[in-house]
Amino acid sequence: MQPIEQRLTSFFQQHLPLAQEIGMEVSYYDGRRLQLSAPLSPNINDKFTAFGGSLYCLAVMSCWGMVYLQTEAAEVDCNLVVSRGEIDYLRPVSEQVFSAVCDIEEGDFEMFLADFKQKGKAKITLSSTILAEGKVAVSFKGEYAILPPVVLREKN
C-alpha cells in the first residue's frame, strides 16, 4: 500500500467506526481510480445479500475517499463533507467481497482545487458503482464540498 493510501486507511480506522464494523478497506488506488471493498459476512441482510446501508456506505465513501486522496496529494488543508447523495439499487449483491469504484478523468480536480484556493470553498460531483455478476448493481452520485479547515474540540 502506498503511503497516501495508508493515510486514507488510517483516517477510516481512527474516525469512522462504521468502516471498521463493515470491514471496509482500500483495495486499489492509482490516482484516477479508488476501489473500496468489504466482505459480505458482516453486511448480510435477511435475504442473504448485502445490506443496502452497507452498500450506500461503501459507495459514498469511495467518492469521499477520492476527494480525500486528491486533496492530500495536492497538500490542500480543508474540511471535506458530503453535501448530497443519491443512490439506485439495481440488483442484489451477493459476492463474498463487494467493491465500490470511483473513477475520475484527467483534469476533474484542477478546477475544483483552483476554486478552493480562490474562494475558500468548492464543490464537485462524483459517482461510483458496485458490480454484481459483472453488471452494475448499485449506482451512486454525490456532491462533495471542501471548506476551510475547522479546529475540532475534544469532548469532555
Side-chain angles (χ1 to χ4, degrees):
M1 186 177 295
Q2 300 173 23
I4 196 163
E5 292 171 58
Q6 186 57 48
R7 281 189 268 181
L8 179 59
T9 299
S10 295
F11 184 90
F12 289 160
Q13 292 170 350
Q14 293 173 8
H15 301 288
L16 300 175
L18 181 60
Q20 295 170 37
E21 291 297 322
I22 70 170
M24 184 172 69
E25 62 182 39
V26 177
S27 52
Y28 181 80
Y29 178 67
D30 67 1
R32 297 285 171 232
R33 170 175 277 201
L34 174 62
Q35 179 176 326
L36 300 180
S37 300
L40 180 63
S41 59
N43 299 292
I44 203 159
N45 64 20
D46 60 326
K47 293 149 194 65
F48 304 104
T49 60
F51 173 62
S54 298
L55 295 169
Y56 184 87
C57 181
L58 206 63
V60 73
M61 291 310 296
S62 67
C63 296
W64 188 97
M66 179 62 82
V67 178
Y68 177 89
L69 291 167
Q70 293 294 316
T71 56
E72 284 286 306
E75 298 179 347
V76 172
D77 187 20
C78 61
N79 183 26
L80 166 57
V81 296
V82 181
S83 61
R84 193 170 75 78
E86 57 186 67
I87 194 163
D88 291 313
Y89 300 97
L90 306 169
R91 58 180 14 95
V93 176
S94 58
E95 280 73 4
Q96 292 305 303
V97 175
F98 55 95
S99 300
V101 176
C102 176
D103 288 309
I104 59 170
E105 298 294 321
E106 187 75 35
D108 281 353
F109 274 84
E110 281 71 13
M111 182 62 79
F112 175 67
L113 295 173
D115 281 351
F116 180 73
K117 289 177 182 173
Q118 181 182 26
K119 301 174 186 172
K121 61 183 178 178
K123 286 187 179 183
I124 192 167
T125 300
L126 295 175
S127 61
S128 65
T129 57
I130 297 173
L131 301 180
E133 298 176 4
K135 297 177 182 173
V136 175
V138 176
S139 177
F140 172 82
K141 183 168 97 174
E143 190 171 87
Y144 297 80
I146 54 175
L147 307 164
V150 295
V151 177
L152 300 176
R153 296 181 187 163
E154 289 187 35
K155 293 180 181 178
N156 292 332

